[in-house]
Amino acid sequence: QKEVEQNSGPLSVPEGAIASLNCTYSDRGSQSFFWYRQYSGKSPELIMSIYSNGDKEDGRFTAQLNKASQYVSLLIRDSQPSDSATYLCAVNGPAAGNKLTFGGGTRVLVKP
Amino acid sequence: KAGVTQTPRYLIKTRGQQVTLSCSPISGHRSVSWYQQTPGQGLQFLFEYFSETQRNKGNFPGRFSGRQFSNSRSEMNVSTLELGDSALYLCASTVGSGGNEQFFGPGTRLTVL
């Protein structure tokens, strides 16, 4: 089992719709969770961090964390073509020596 | 506040050569982590330095090494380059060590011929 798993996609959503991305992790002791956006040919850009169960909203982005079920999700509301990118989930946990472990990423395509 | 900078941005080397990449973290950040990104393997952790000490190391051969200087700038070195070392090498800086938000530099694209 991979430490951090994401569906590779592509996740195709129409402009204006909600994109829903999921990420599961194996280290039950994980405490810090991050979402990064990576455009093709560019480096990852941090868009959300979440540390406690529940929802965290920032603009059009909402991160949701459920430690009991070991998943973290990202919602993108009112999706725009500029949101087309690969979204990486990253988890920090003791089993990995408290280093960041990344999922393989979900490619999102927003169609006008 | 200036972001993370990496030099050079692009490199072309041949097999057997060695290469040194440089990373300057965000001012005030003391931790630097290095990652290798390839289409097949994704983002893989190389090592983390905090206050000039290696705090974590990934599963890479000893040909990959790094160091951090007193001003928090970091370098990584790859010796005896192999074709499979072609990748985007990213460094990320954070304030402390472990658990904090990491901010990535633009990366160095290494091509090994």
Side-chain angles (χ1 to χ4, degrees), chain A residues 33-47:
Chain A
F33 307 85
F34 308 92
W35 283 99
Y36 287 83
R37 177 177 63 197
Q38 186 173 26
Y39 293 113
S40 181
K42 301 294 185 181
S43 63
E45 172 192 9
L46 180 67
I47 55 172

Side-chain angles (χ1 to χ4, degrees), chain A residues 83-94:
Chain A
D83 294 325
S84 296
T86 296
Y87 290 80
L88 300 164
C89 171
V91 176
N92 179 287

Side-chain angles (χ1 to χ4, degrees), chain A residues 32 34 36 38 41-46 48-49 51 56 88 92 96-100 102-104, chain B residues 35 37 42-43 45 48 55-58 88 90 97-107 109:
Chain A
S32 307
F34 308 92
Y36 287 83
Q38 186 173 26
K42 301 294 185 181
S43 63
E45 172 192 9
L46 180 67
M48 290 289 284
S49 56
Y51 302 95
K56 179 181 178 183
L88 300 164
N92 179 287
N98 282 313
K99 63 174 172 60
L100 267 189
F102 284 81
Chain B
Y35 298 86
Q37 188 174 36
L43 252 175
F45 173 79
E48 178 201 5
R55 296 292 292 265
N56 267 310
K57 190 177 189 306
L88 180 66
L90 294 156
S97 177
N100 299 107
E101 297 174 337
Q102 293 192 8
F103 299 91
F104 283 87
R109 173 75 61 183

Side-chain angles (χ1 to χ4, degrees), chain B residues 40-52:
Chain B
Q41 298 296 319
L43 252 175
Q44 292 191 290
F45 173 79
L46 281 157
F47 26 65
E48 178 201 5
Y49 286 89
F50 178 76
S51 293
E52 301 180 66

Side-chain angles (χ1 to χ4, degrees), chain B residues 54-100:
Chain B
Q54 187 179 90
R55 296 292 292 265
N56 267 310
K57 190 177 189 306
N59 295 323
F60 278 81
R63 300 185 296 107
F64 293 81
S65 63
R67 58 178 176 169
Q68 186 180 35
F69 303 96
S70 58
N71 61 357
S72 295
R73 189 178 70 86
S74 177
E75 288 181 348
M76 68 162 282
N77 184 276
V78 188
S79 62
T80 319
L81 284 166
E82 300 177 359
L83 295 179
D85 296 333
S86 294
L88 180 66
Y89 290 87
L90 294 156
C91 86
S93 79
T94 187
V95 173
S97 177
N100 299 107

Side-chain angles (χ1 to χ4, degrees), chain A residues 6-109:
Chain A
Q6 296 180 254
N7 188 315
S8 61
L11 175 64
S12 185
V13 297
E15 184 175 357
I18 295 176
S20 178
L21 293 75
N22 295 315
C23 169
T24 58
Y25 59 94
S26 60
D27 182 359
R28 190 167 284 279
S30 298
Q31 295 294 324
S32 307
F33 307 85
F34 308 92
W35 283 99
Y36 287 83
R37 177 177 63 197
Q38 186 173 26
Y39 293 113
S40 181
K42 301 294 185 181
S43 63
E45 172 192 9
L46 180 67
I47 55 172
M48 290 289 284
S49 56
I50 187 165
Y51 302 95
S52 53
N53 281 328
D55 295 1
K56 179 181 178 183
E57 186 174 315
D58 185 358
R60 296 185 296 110
F61 298 102
T62 298
Q64 300 173 316
L65 175 61
N66 184 323
K67 290 185 180 180
S69 300
Q70 294 175 244
Y71 82 79
V72 56
S73 61
L74 179 71
L75 300 178
I76 308 173
R77 292 184 301 281
D78 187 24
S79 295
Q80 301 296 309
S82 59
D83 294 325
S84 296
T86 296
Y87 290 80
L88 300 164
C89 171
V91 176
N92 179 287
N98 282 313
K99 63 174 172 60
L100 267 189
T101 303
F102 284 81
T106 297
R107 187 170 164 226
V108 173
L109 293 174

